[in-house]
Amino acid sequence: MNRTLLAALFFTAAPAIAQQSITTLPQPVVGDPRVAALRDEALANDHYAWDIVEGLTTEVGQRLAATEAEARARDWAVKRLTAMGFANVHIEPFTMPVWTRGAESAEIVSPFPQKLAIAALGYSGSTTAAGITGQIVYFDSLDALRAAPDNAVRGKIVFIDHHMMPAQDGSGYGQFGAPRRQGPTIASLKGAIGIVIRSIGTDHHRNPHTGIQYFTDGAKPIPAGALSVPDAEQLVRILERGQPVVMHLTLVSQKAEGGHSGNVIAEVPGRDAKAPILLVGGHLDSWDLGTGAIDDGTGIAITAAAARHIMDAGRPLRTIRVVWFGAEEPGGLGGKAYAAAHGKEAHAIAGESDFGADRVWRFSSQLMKSDPAAYAQLTAALAPLGITKNDKGEADGTDVEPTITAGAPWISLSQDGTRYFDWHHTPDDTLDKIDPAQLRQNVAAWTAMLAVLSGGIEPGAKQPKRR
Ligand code: ZN
Ligand code: ZN
């Protein structure tokens, strides 16, 4: 859309607004044409989001939490957000243990010697360079492992097999992620020398899916890895031949205390410094196998792009705070650090984009109950993007969860997750998986949300052209 026409659409009421105090500015109404124009401009022309995710994945690449690569990503982020015209761009650092991957391999020693594709899970125990050798003991679920007597497991390598099905809402992840999150601890407490799981993924590529797990309840760290889905199926066929199966497993890793991570924060300052803040963002860190394009390069890109579209239109009443959280993958450490520092500040909304780059298909928000008028405005503003309201939805976003627990109202703009777990936490999480048109639809949705909840945008000086 032509910029002049766009400005005319937004700001037809501008002369009248100039006479009024900021608190009496007209609020967006249901079907507000100014919100619609902002949304439609983002849908048609957004390039900010693509530029961010293309830049980050190309110029930084993988950025495992607390490593030197994540530090480079923070520096990159500060430069980019400053260049985009955000205010108060800064890093809020914190320390944490740093875990890094070394040599890893798995092979069947007998009865049918062959190599399998494996990747260590985060914070796996390390083998020596020589690896370990043990007999495989099979379980079809985490519950089956839980129920097994210790003597069936002791001295063996546990294998948990389970099938995750694709779902638009990604609902399988909670249930099927449990073997990854809890399996290593249970196996260790029963005396296993190692554990391999079928990847938490919906693809049939020969790529293992990594992800976090922690040893709890005093469990001694043991080597813990994920086999790719085709390799897990291969192992099942080998086991079905009925002979004892022996695996040689090498999973070398290092863990050190005193690593550094941090949140990168940027703002669009509101006209009313005391008004509750609109908090949006995603996480800057990624796993180390791909380049963290869909997890979560797109989340940080979408939310910053949306904030920039509001900046293009003028100055919101409420401050928009964009946070690119550090160290989400090892357990949401950035989100906890943010809540510890800012959880007591008044937030008007908290929302995170962290489910890939496919289109937003529904939304839900606590505002349904606490501010039904705003909820109605959101419903109207998002409907033209093919987004329906979900009155039964829940808060999501690991990074904003602690702030929501501290009292911030939540919003979830839910992306279509049908394809997400084909690539999640694998070497396949790369830029080419992003559909630019669906990415723009995401930006349009977040822009519309921010415009509705902005408290009213006062047209300002035309923004200089920035990246
Ligand atoms: Zn993520
Ligand atoms: Zn992730």
Side-chain angles (χ1 to χ4, degrees), residues 71-157:
R72 270 189 288 122
R74 285 193 294 281
D75 292 343
W76 186 96
V78 167
K79 281 199 194 92
R80 173 57 61 102
L81 290 163
T82 304
M84 286 179 74
F86 286 96
N88 194 21
V89 180
H90 66 284
I91 297 169
E92 298 189 354
F94 54 89
T95 57
M96 58 177 287
V98 53
W99 178 90
T100 48
R101 185 184 305 280
E104 48 195 18
S105 65
E107 53 201 286
I108 303 296
V109 177
S110 66
F112 312 126
Q114 55 190 285
K115 290 183 177 173
L116 302 178
I118 195 164
L121 300 175
Y123 293 82
S124 163
S126 181
T127 67
T128 64
I132 57 169
T133 302
Q135 187 180 334
I136 292 287
V137 54
Y138 172 92
F139 299 98
D140 64 2
S141 68
L142 185 65
D143 285 343
L145 170 63
R146 265 201 198 98
D150 291 5
N151 62 13
V153 171
R154 192 174 299 120
K156 294 182 175 158
I157 296 174

